[in-house]
Amino acid sequence: MIDILIPTRDRPVELATTLAGLAAQTEAFDVIVSDQSGGSDGFDGSASFDTPSAEAMARVLRTQGRRVEFLRHLPRRGLAEQRAFLLERSSAPLVLFLDDDVWLTPGVVTRLRTALRSLRCGLVGAAVQGLSYLDDERPHQTACFEEWPGPPCPEQVTPDSPAWARASLHLAANLCHIERRLALRPGEWRAYKIAWVGGCVLFDRAKLVDSGGFDFWPSLPAEHVGEDVAAQLRVMARYGGAGIIPSGAIHLEAPTTMPVREVDAPKVLPPAQLYPA
């Protein structure tokens, strides 16, 4: 039913932690990891999955009946191409793109699948939360929180649109503070309006492919960011999308492996590529 797709690079400890979170899920899924660890050409370093911890977690997942595929995908052509490669390797009707520095609390995958089935949109996301910010409440960043009253409607969100301000909802531990105010019952979840979601996004695969997926990757240099945002904007423009609260996706708060951030995909791609007809 679900393929969980994990792009990784130079994060052996974080990847093993991410896999440990998956081992605690009860949903049926398979896992595909695409590793681009190493130097500029990618061939002079060890794979992030080539560690006792990652292998141990893979064995746990396999004993649970899940397929785990570790792949080396080289040379590096950028994260958009890496995600396009993972999408091509998948075959399930639902694909969960999960970053390699995210630990999921038990039940997150099931909640995402339930929400996507209920909302019948193109994507639902569990925004990652940095728990080191639990005591840092930011009302000015959460004032734009707005629930979807029903299934999400298609909407064209652009970096210069008012809806882009919703990105602040996912900073620090903002969703944890919103969740506390909502006083949700056990098992209850709410769908809310987003600009985009980082780190943990479940797509209807057919709708992602119909929206173009990551086929814009040749237009970007190898060093870029925002490729996940660009793909989400495409899907939301055609099919709608939502964030889900509670999130349950915990950011490990590790240093970024993408320090060069001058090229931000949704801000440099032309509208014809970002929102194909």
Side-chain angles (χ1 to χ4, degrees):
M1 186 70 182
I2 302 175
D3 281 339
I4 297 183
L5 310 178
I6 306 175
T8 190
R9 171 185 170 186
D10 299 327
R11 276 183 165 161
V13 174
E14 292 83 358
L15 177 62
T17 305
T18 298
L19 294 174
L22 293 180
Q25 305 297 312
T26 58
E27 192 71 18
F29 56 77
D30 293 327
V31 180
I32 307 174
V33 177
S34 177
D35 196 316
Q36 294 188 326
S37 300
S40 59
D41 60 4
F43 288 98
D44 59 350
S46 299
S48 293
F49 56 69
D50 190 19
T51 67
S53 298
E55 288 290 354
M57 290 301 99
R59 285 192 289 272
V60 171
L61 288 162
R62 288 167 180 146
T63 59
Q64 294 171 340
R66 298 170 168 127
R67 177 174 61 89
V68 179
E69 191 173 7
F70 286 150
L71 304 170
R72 285 284 263 165
H73 180 55
L74 301 166
R76 292 200 298 266
R77 300 182 181 90
L79 263 171
E81 191 275 340
Q82 164 109 304
R83 292 184 188 273
F85 170 76
L86 280 164
L87 184 59
E88 290 175 359
R89 297 287 305 195
S90 69
S91 58
L94 304 179
V95 292
L96 174 62
F97 275 96
L98 181 64
D99 283 1
D100 62 354
D101 60 348
V102 180
W103 180 79
L104 299 182
T105 58
V108 171
V109 177
T110 297
R111 184 160 60 244
L112 287 171
R113 180 190 58 77
T114 301
L116 190 61
R117 175 179 293 175
S118 173
L119 298 173
R120 292 178 290 179
C121 55
L123 68 89
V124 294
V128 298
Q129 296 297 284
L131 297 189
S132 67
Y133 296 91
L134 274 178
D135 295 328
D136 181 7
E137 295 208 32
R138 305 178 179 185
H140 62 289
Q141 293 180 347
T142 60
C144 59
F145 179 80
E146 183 180 0
E147 293 185 39
W148 280 109
C153 300
E155 55 177 346
Q156 187 165 306
V157 178
T158 62
D160 58 355
S161 67
W164 197 256
R166 301 172 189 162
S168 68
L169 294 170
H170 301 155
L171 298 176
N174 285 343
L175 279 190
C176 294
H177 301 137
I178 295 172
E179 179 186 349
R180 188 180 303 157
R181 293 200 299 268
L182 291 176
L184 301 175
R185 298 184 301 274
E188 184 182 6
W189 56 268
R190 306 278 183 87
Y192 65 94
K193 297 181 180 182
I194 56 173
W196 50 276
V197 177
C200 180
V201 181
L202 181 67
F203 292 90
D204 180 307
R205 187 185 189 281
K207 292 175 180 176
L208 175 58
V209 172
D210 182 60
S211 302
F214 300 88
D215 66 2
F216 51 77
W217 74 262
S219 300
L220 298 172
E223 296 290 344
H224 64 260
V225 295
E227 78 297 329
D228 53 339
V229 178
Q232 291 176 49
L233 297 181
R234 287 175 147 193
V235 174
M236 289 194 295
R238 287 194 178 188
Y239 298 105
I244 301 301
I245 192 168
S247 161
I250 309 303
H251 191 221
L252 301 182
E253 302 185 57
T256 181
T257 58
M258 299 297 295
V260 180
R261 312 181 74 84
E262 282 77 12
V263 178
D264 191 354
K267 296 180 180 179
V268 301
L269 290 172
Q273 276 190 294
L274 204 54
Y275 307 104

